[in-house]
Amino acid sequence: MRGKELLYAFCAEHGVPHRRCGKLIVATGAEQHAALATLAERAAAAGVRVEPMTAAEAQALEPQLQCTAALHSPSSGIVDSHALMLALQGELERAGGAVALRSRVGTVTFPAAVSGASGPEPAIVQVHTPEGGYELAAGCVVNAAGLHAPLVARRFARPAAAHVPPAHFAKGSYFALTAPPPFKRLIYPVPVDAWLGVHVTLDLAGQVRFGPDHEWLDIDDPSRIDYTVQMARAAGFEDAIRRYWPALPSDALAPAYSGVRPKIHAPGTPAPDFRIDGPAVHGVAGLVNLFGIESPGSDRLLWRSAPVVAAQPSEAVAGLIPQAGRRFAADIAAYRRADERAAHRDPWQRVRNEVVDLRQYARLGIVIAA
C-alpha cells in the first residue's frame, strides 16, 4: 500500500498520466470461493483494502460481468508506463546519474578482498557500444537484466556458477478487443499458482486487451525469442474470457503484443519467489543479482527500488553502500518487521528484501545492468 500511494503521488507531481479505475477479482464457480477468501485474508494481512462482494454487487458495478463472488480493490489503477519511466529517468539524471542505451555488458571483475579502511576496491565493468568499448569503475553493480540476467551473471569473474540459476522462459500473449469496451475496471480471475490468468487490462485511452496466457518456450537463449502473437491462440483466449464475460462476440479478438517472463524454475515444478542475491548470498561485495523478476513491480518502484537479500538486512545494505545503508537502516528494519508479520499468513508477501530508493544511489558509483 505504501508503494502504491507513493506512486500515485509521484505521478500527480510529475504529470504522469494515470487513473484509479479499481479492480475486481472474480470467482466463476463455488469451487473458487475458498481461494477468493484466502486472497482477502492476505490483503488484510498486508494492509490492502478489499471489499468482498456477492455476484449481484459485482454485477452492479460491471453489468456485463458473470461471476459467483468477487473481491473489489477500489485503489487499484493504471499508469502510462512509458511516461513513468521517462519521469524516473529525469529524476535519476537530475541526481547525477545517466542512462546509457545500446551498451552491452562484457566481463565484470570484482576485487578479491577489502583493501583499506574505506571498503573494497571498485568493480571493473567492461562495456561495448557501437562506437567502441570502455571500462567503468563501480562501487556497486546491480544485475537487473531481466531475461538476460543469468547470462549476464555468467560473464562475471565471480561469484561461482553455482549461484546462477538456469534460465527458463514463459511467453504471454495479449489480444485486443475490436468491439466496444464492456468494462470500466480491471477484471482478474482467481489466480492459479503464480499465474494471474487471462485478465482484462485497460489503457488510458479505454482500449481493452486480454491476457496473458502462459506458454513455456523450449529455448535457452533469449535472443531466439519470437514475440509474434499467433492467431491460433485466440480460441483458448475466448474460452477463458467467456467464463466471466459470456457475451464476448465471435471473432472480436485481434493479436496485440506479447511478453516473456524470466523463469528460474522448469515446467512442472513449484514456482519459487523472486531471487535478489546480495553479498550475504554469494559472497561478492558490491554485487546484487536479480533473478526471476517476473513483474515490473511499478507499485514498488519508489518504496523498494533496490532490495538486497540477507539474514541481517540493515547490515547488508550498510555494508554494500555505507552512506545509503546508514541513512535507511531504521526504515528497512521497521519495514521488514511489518512484512514478516504478513509472511506468516502469506509466503508471497515475505521480504524480497530491503529497500533504498535508486535515486539515492546516483552519486555513489552504481552501475545497473538492465
Side-chain angles (χ1 to χ4, degrees), residues 231-307:
M231 192 63 199
R233 305 190 72 81
F237 272 73
E238 290 175 347
D239 290 344
I241 295 165
R242 288 194 174 111
R243 294 188 186 117
Y244 55 81
W245 184 36
L248 170 68
S250 299
D251 302 322
L253 300 180
Y257 56 84
S258 72
V260 175
R261 292 177 179 265
K263 299 285 189 178
I264 53 176
H265 69 288
T269 61
D273 204 348
F274 301 162
R275 275 182 54 177
I276 306 176
D277 296 357
V281 174
H282 50 59
V284 180
L287 172 65
V288 180
N289 279 319
L290 279 66
F291 297 126
I293 310 297
E294 300 183 21
S295 167
S298 298
D299 59 346
R300 298 176 179 89
L301 282 174
L302 303 178
W303 179 235
R304 298 167 75 168
S305 298

Side-chain angles (χ1 to χ4, degrees), residues 9 32 37 59 71 86 125 132 151 174 194 245 261 276 284 291 299 305 317 327-328 341 358 363 369:
Q32 296 178 339
Q59 287 160 356
L71 289 178
L86 287 174
V125 182
L151 180 64
Y174 286 80
W245 184 36
R261 292 177 179 265
I276 306 176
V284 180
F291 297 126
D299 59 346
S305 298
V317 177
R327 189 182 308 139
F328 287 95
R341 286 195 293 270
L358 284 175
R363 300 187 186 278

Side-chain angles (χ1 to χ4, degrees), residues 32-346:
Q32 296 178 339
H33 289 186
L36 205 62
T38 299
L39 285 177
E41 292 174 359
R42 293 176 178 176
V48 178
R49 177 193 166 204
V50 294
E51 304 166 351
M53 288 188 167
T54 64
E57 290 170 331
Q59 287 160 356
L61 294 180
E62 296 290 356
Q64 296 203 49
L65 178 67
Q66 175 175 286
C67 66
T68 56
L71 289 178
H72 180 217
S73 171
S75 65
S76 294
I78 56 178
V79 62
D80 183 332
S81 57
H82 295 284
L84 175 61
M85 293 301 105
L86 287 174
L88 289 170
Q89 180 180 343
E91 288 286 287
L92 175 69
E93 292 172 346
R94 187 172 67 177
V99 177
L101 305 177
R102 302 178 67 196
S103 302
R104 184 175 65 86
V105 175
T107 58
V108 181
T109 304
F110 293 92
V114 172
S115 59
S118 61
E121 293 294 322
I124 303 301
V125 182
Q126 293 185 346
V127 181
H128 304 281
T129 74
E131 291 74 32
Y134 58 91
E135 291 185 345
L136 293 173
C140 178
V141 175
V142 180
N143 173 13
L147 298 173
H148 296 261
L151 180 64
V152 169
R154 291 188 179 94
R155 297 177 187 160
F156 300 164
R158 298 164 60 220
H163 291 288
V164 181
H168 303 276
F169 307 102
K171 180 178 177 180
S173 295
Y174 286 80
F175 280 81
L177 180 66
T178 60
F183 304 115
K184 296 179 180 179
R185 295 166 180 80
L186 303 170
I187 308 294
Y188 279 60
V190 173
V192 177
D193 194 15
W195 177 47
L196 297 180
V198 174
H199 52 265
V200 176
T201 68
L202 308 171
D203 64 24
L204 291 163
Q207 173 71 56
V208 172
R209 296 179 182 87
F210 297 96
D213 61 354
H214 191 280
E215 175 189 3
W216 285 102
L217 301 179
D218 188 18
I219 60 172
D220 56 10
D221 182 352
S223 67
R224 295 174 51 205
I225 293 172
D226 179 2
Y227 288 91
T228 304
V229 176
Q230 303 295 335
M231 192 63 199
R233 305 190 72 81
F237 272 73
E238 290 175 347
D239 290 344
I241 295 165
R242 288 194 174 111
R243 294 188 186 117
Y244 55 81
W245 184 36
L248 170 68
S250 299
D251 302 322
L253 300 180
Y257 56 84
S258 72
V260 175
R261 292 177 179 265
K263 299 285 189 178
I264 53 176
H265 69 288
T269 61
D273 204 348
F274 301 162
R275 275 182 54 177
I276 306 176
D277 296 357
V281 174
H282 50 59
V284 180
L287 172 65
V288 180
N289 279 319
L290 279 66
F291 297 126
I293 310 297
E294 300 183 21
S295 167
S298 298
D299 59 346
R300 298 176 179 89
L301 282 174
L302 303 178
W303 179 235
R304 298 167 75 168
S305 298
V308 179
V309 168
Q312 299 295 329
S314 302
E315 294 175 10
V317 177
L320 184 62
I321 303 176
Q323 301 98 308
R326 286 192 294 270
R327 189 182 308 139
F328 287 95
D331 288 345
I332 289 168
Y335 188 79
R336 182 173 185 263
R337 286 193 296 271
D339 224 359
E340 283 181 336
R341 286 195 293 270
H344 293 299
R345 305 286 295 278
D346 176 15

Side-chain angles (χ1 to χ4, degrees), residues 2-53:
R2 174 64 173 155
K4 185 193 313 184
E5 294 309 317
L6 285 172
L7 179 59
Y8 278 135
F10 181 89
C11 289
E13 180 182 352
H14 291 78
V16 176
H18 64 287
R19 185 170 76 247
R20 296 189 189 226
C21 58
K23 177 199 295 185
L24 286 168
I25 304 171
V26 301
T28 55
E31 71 280 0
Q32 296 178 339
H33 289 186
L36 205 62
T38 299
L39 285 177
E41 292 174 359
R42 293 176 178 176
V48 178
R49 177 193 166 204
V50 294
E51 304 166 351
M53 288 188 167

